[in-house]
Amino acid sequence: MKLGRLNHVGVATPSIEKSVAYYRDVMGATKIHEPFDLPAQGVKVCFVDTPGDGGTAGTQIELIEPYDQSSTITGFLAKNPAGGQHHMCYEVADIHEAKAWFEAKGARVLGEPRIGAHGTPIFFVHPKDMNGVLTEIMETPREGAH
Ligand code: CO
């Protein structure tokens, strides 16, 4: 497998509204996308852009706020009430090839590839097999997608 760009860092938060104010007013972020719901995961998501170079998109921050008590983010916030870094997401060219690669390495892939927040297939790999980091693998969006 060839490692692609770091697409985003997932950050759990009890309040997307407060987190957006932090990234705008303290971190100086100028491009903050509209929040939207991901009903399959019971969460609201909001992407904050960091600048890329040469016209390519920079790595994003994915703010994640649960609205459903059964969401995995609800459990994370119970342990980390102020929120915190939740996962890292790397791009790959082919999601099925990447899944086979991680499985061949003995890493636990959590579920089947499914459509993620960018509209392309994603899966997660268990943090215990990834040096403690919950890792999301996503297929690189095609031209024109964000
Ligand atoms: Co993510």
Side-chain angles (χ1 to χ4, degrees):
M1 187 193 78
K2 187 166 171 275
L3 179 67
R5 65 189 278 276
L6 177 62
N7 181 279
H8 64 264
V9 176
V11 174
T13 174
S15 167
I16 280 183
E17 195 187 336
K18 284 184 185 157
S19 289
V20 162
Y22 163 78
Y23 280 97
R24 186 188 59 225
D25 301 339
V26 179
M27 297 302 290
T30 56
K31 187 151 187 215
I32 298 166
H33 296 259
E34 277 301 307
F36 61 96
D37 291 348
L38 267 186
Q41 285 149 61
V43 297
K44 191 206 281 192
V45 166
C46 179
F47 284 101
V48 177
D49 288 5
T50 68
D53 43 64
T56 60
T59 296
Q60 294 177 307
I61 311 297
E62 179 187 31
L63 299 170
I64 316 162
E65 177 189 332
Y67 61 76
D68 184 331
Q69 288 305 306
S70 66
S71 163
T72 56
I73 300 296
T74 301
F76 182 89
L77 286 176
K79 287 184 217 144
N80 308 275
Q85 196 254 305
H86 181 260
H87 66 270
M88 310 268 274
C89 177
Y90 301 96
E91 293 182 11
V92 296
D94 183 315
I95 199 81
H96 297 288
E97 188 184 274
K99 180 171 182 276
W101 168 271
F102 282 108
E103 285 171 344
K105 299 283 178 200
R108 280 164 285 183
V109 170
L110 305 171
E112 288 301 310
R114 55 202 176 275
I115 298 301
H118 288 87
T120 69
I122 63 110
F123 62 79
F124 283 89
V125 190
H126 200 292
K128 286 196 172 136
D129 299 328
M130 301 297 281
N131 283 328
V133 179
L134 176 61
T135 302
E136 180 180 0
I137 300 295
M138 74 175 267
E139 202 164 273
T140 302
R142 306 276 173 244
E143 288 293 296
H146 81 100

